[in-house]
Short mmCIF file of all heavy atoms in Angstrom, two decimals:
data_model
loop_
_atom_site.label_atom_id
_atom_site.label_comp_id
_atom_site.label_asym_id
_atom_site.label_seq_id
_atom_site.Cartn_x
_atom_site.Cartn_y
_atom_site.Cartn_z
N LYS A 9 105.43 102.83 104.94
CA LYS A 9 105.34 101.63 104.11
C LYS A 9 104.94 102.00 102.67
O LYS A 9 104.56 103.14 102.39
CB LYS A 9 104.28 100.69 104.74
CG LYS A 9 104.68 100.25 106.18
CD LYS A 9 103.65 99.24 106.71
CE LYS A 9 104.03 98.76 108.11
NZ LYS A 9 103.09 97.75 108.60
N HIS A 48 113.43 91.42 108.98
CA HIS A 48 112.65 92.43 109.71
C HIS A 48 111.39 91.80 110.33
O HIS A 48 111.02 92.13 111.45
CB HIS A 48 112.29 93.58 108.78
CG HIS A 48 111.43 94.63 109.40
ND1 HIS A 48 111.84 95.36 110.51
CD2 HIS A 48 110.18 95.03 109.15
CE1 HIS A 48 110.86 96.20 110.86
NE2 HIS A 48 109.86 96.02 110.06
N TYR A 49 110.74 90.94 109.57
CA TYR A 49 109.45 90.36 110.02
C TYR A 49 109.63 88.91 110.52
O TYR A 49 108.63 88.18 110.54
CB TYR A 49 108.43 90.42 108.88
CG TYR A 49 107.86 91.79 108.65
CD1 TYR A 49 107.89 92.38 107.38
CD2 TYR A 49 107.30 92.54 109.69
CE1 TYR A 49 107.35 93.67 107.18
CE2 TYR A 49 106.80 93.81 109.49
CZ TYR A 49 106.81 94.35 108.24
OH TYR A 49 106.28 95.63 108.04
N HIS A 52 107.16 86.99 112.64
CA HIS A 52 105.86 86.65 112.09
C HIS A 52 105.90 85.44 111.13
O HIS A 52 104.87 85.03 110.61
CB HIS A 52 105.23 87.85 111.32
CG HIS A 52 105.01 89.04 112.19
ND1 HIS A 52 104.18 89.03 113.28
CD2 HIS A 52 105.56 90.28 112.18
CE1 HIS A 52 104.15 90.18 113.87
NE2 HIS A 52 105.03 91.00 113.24
N PHE A 57 99.54 85.61 107.58
CA PHE A 57 99.73 86.87 106.83
C PHE A 57 101.18 87.15 106.49
O PHE A 57 101.48 88.17 105.88
CB PHE A 57 99.12 88.06 107.63
CG PHE A 57 99.77 88.31 108.98
CD1 PHE A 57 100.92 89.08 109.10
CD2 PHE A 57 99.21 87.78 110.14
CE1 PHE A 57 101.51 89.31 110.34
CE2 PHE A 57 99.77 88.05 111.38
CZ PHE A 57 100.94 88.79 111.46
N LEU A 61 102.48 89.76 103.62
CA LEU A 61 103.18 90.91 104.25
C LEU A 61 104.54 91.16 103.56
O LEU A 61 104.89 92.29 103.23
CB LEU A 61 103.39 90.59 105.75
CG LEU A 61 104.19 91.57 106.60
CD1 LEU A 61 103.51 92.94 106.61
CD2 LEU A 61 104.34 91.04 108.02
N TYR A 64 104.07 92.44 100.05
CA TYR A 64 103.63 93.87 100.06
C TYR A 64 104.79 94.80 100.43
O TYR A 64 105.00 95.81 99.77
CB TYR A 64 102.48 94.02 101.05
CG TYR A 64 102.32 95.39 101.62
CD1 TYR A 64 101.99 96.45 100.80
CD2 TYR A 64 102.55 95.61 102.96
CE1 TYR A 64 101.87 97.73 101.30
CE2 TYR A 64 102.42 96.88 103.47
CZ TYR A 64 102.09 97.95 102.66
OH TYR A 64 102.01 99.20 103.18
N ARG A 85 104.35 105.22 118.85
CA ARG A 85 103.26 104.25 118.78
C ARG A 85 101.92 104.92 119.11
O ARG A 85 100.90 104.59 118.48
CB ARG A 85 103.54 103.07 119.69
CG ARG A 85 104.63 102.19 119.13
CD ARG A 85 104.85 100.92 119.91
NE ARG A 85 103.79 99.93 119.70
CZ ARG A 85 103.72 99.10 118.67
NH1 ARG A 85 104.59 99.20 117.67
NH2 ARG A 85 102.78 98.22 118.56
N THR A 91 97.77 98.64 115.43
CA THR A 91 98.08 98.00 114.15
C THR A 91 96.91 98.05 113.17
O THR A 91 97.08 98.33 111.99
CB THR A 91 98.50 96.53 114.37
OG1 THR A 91 99.55 96.51 115.34
CG2 THR A 91 98.94 95.86 113.09
N ARG A 102 97.33 106.10 111.68
CA ARG A 102 96.57 104.99 111.06
C ARG A 102 95.07 105.30 111.08
O ARG A 102 94.35 104.90 110.16
CB ARG A 102 96.88 103.69 111.77
CG ARG A 102 98.28 103.18 111.45
CD ARG A 102 98.70 102.10 112.43
NE ARG A 102 99.95 101.46 112.04
CZ ARG A 102 100.70 100.76 112.88
NH1 ARG A 102 100.31 100.58 114.11
NH2 ARG A 102 101.84 100.22 112.46
N ASP A 108 92.96 99.29 106.38
CA ASP A 108 93.28 97.91 106.13
C ASP A 108 94.51 97.50 106.98
O ASP A 108 95.54 98.18 106.93
CB ASP A 108 93.61 97.77 104.63
CG ASP A 108 93.98 96.38 104.20
OD1 ASP A 108 94.29 95.53 105.05
OD2 ASP A 108 94.00 96.15 102.97
N ILE A 109 94.37 96.41 107.75
CA ILE A 109 95.50 96.01 108.67
C ILE A 109 96.78 95.70 107.89
O ILE A 109 97.87 95.92 108.40
CB ILE A 109 95.08 94.81 109.54
CG1 ILE A 109 96.05 94.63 110.72
CG2 ILE A 109 94.92 93.54 108.73
CD1 ILE A 109 95.59 93.70 111.80
N GLY A 110 96.65 95.23 106.68
CA GLY A 110 97.83 94.92 105.87
C GLY A 110 98.38 96.12 105.11
O GLY A 110 99.43 96.06 104.50
N ARG A 111 97.67 97.22 105.16
CA ARG A 111 98.10 98.49 104.50
C ARG A 111 97.97 99.60 105.52
O ARG A 111 97.17 100.52 105.34
CB ARG A 111 97.19 98.79 103.28
CG ARG A 111 97.15 97.72 102.21
CD ARG A 111 98.32 97.88 101.23
NE ARG A 111 98.21 96.95 100.13
CZ ARG A 111 98.55 95.66 100.17
NH1 ARG A 111 99.00 95.12 101.29
NH2 ARG A 111 98.48 94.91 99.10
N ASN A 112 98.77 99.48 106.56
CA ASN A 112 98.57 100.40 107.70
C ASN A 112 99.56 101.55 107.71
O ASN A 112 99.86 102.12 108.78
CB ASN A 112 98.50 99.64 109.02
CG ASN A 112 99.74 98.84 109.32
OD1 ASN A 112 100.68 98.89 108.54
ND2 ASN A 112 99.79 98.23 110.48
N VAL A 114 102.27 102.91 108.15
CA VAL A 114 103.51 103.22 108.87
C VAL A 114 103.86 102.11 109.84
O VAL A 114 102.97 101.40 110.32
CB VAL A 114 103.34 104.60 109.54
CG1 VAL A 114 102.39 104.55 110.71
CG2 VAL A 114 104.65 105.23 109.96
N HIS A 115 105.14 101.95 110.08
CA HIS A 115 105.63 100.99 111.09
C HIS A 115 106.42 101.77 112.15
O HIS A 115 107.19 102.69 111.80
CB HIS A 115 106.57 99.96 110.43
CG HIS A 115 107.36 99.15 111.44
ND1 HIS A 115 106.82 98.03 112.04
CD2 HIS A 115 108.60 99.36 111.97
CE1 HIS A 115 107.74 97.57 112.90
NE2 HIS A 115 108.83 98.36 112.85
N GLY A 116 106.30 101.38 113.40
CA GLY A 116 107.16 101.89 114.45
C GLY A 116 107.53 100.78 115.40
O GLY A 116 106.68 99.92 115.68
P1 CMP B 1 103.51 96.08 111.76
O1 CMP B 1 103.14 96.07 113.22
O2 CMP B 1 104.27 97.23 111.24
O3 CMP B 1 104.34 94.76 111.44
C1 CMP B 1 103.68 93.53 111.22
C2 CMP B 1 102.61 93.78 110.20
O4 CMP B 1 101.88 92.68 109.79
C3 CMP B 1 101.61 94.73 110.77
O5 CMP B 1 102.20 95.98 110.91
C4 CMP B 1 100.50 94.61 109.73
O6 CMP B 1 100.61 95.56 108.71
C5 CMP B 1 100.73 93.26 109.10
N1 CMP B 1 99.58 92.38 109.22
C6 CMP B 1 98.88 91.93 108.18
N2 CMP B 1 97.87 91.15 108.60
C7 CMP B 1 97.90 91.11 109.95
C8 CMP B 1 97.16 90.48 110.97
N3 CMP B 1 96.11 89.71 110.67
N4 CMP B 1 97.51 90.68 112.26
C9 CMP B 1 98.62 91.45 112.57
N5 CMP B 1 99.36 92.09 111.64
C10 CMP B 1 99.03 91.91 110.34
#
Side-chain angles (χ1 to χ4, degrees):
K9 297 184 181 183
H48 177 62
Y49 285 127
H52 299 297
F57 61 85
L61 175 62
Y64 155 65
R85 287 187 75 80
T91 306
R102 288 166 173 162
D108 180 345
I109 195 167
R111 301 275 186 278
N112 60 359
V114 71
H115 166 85

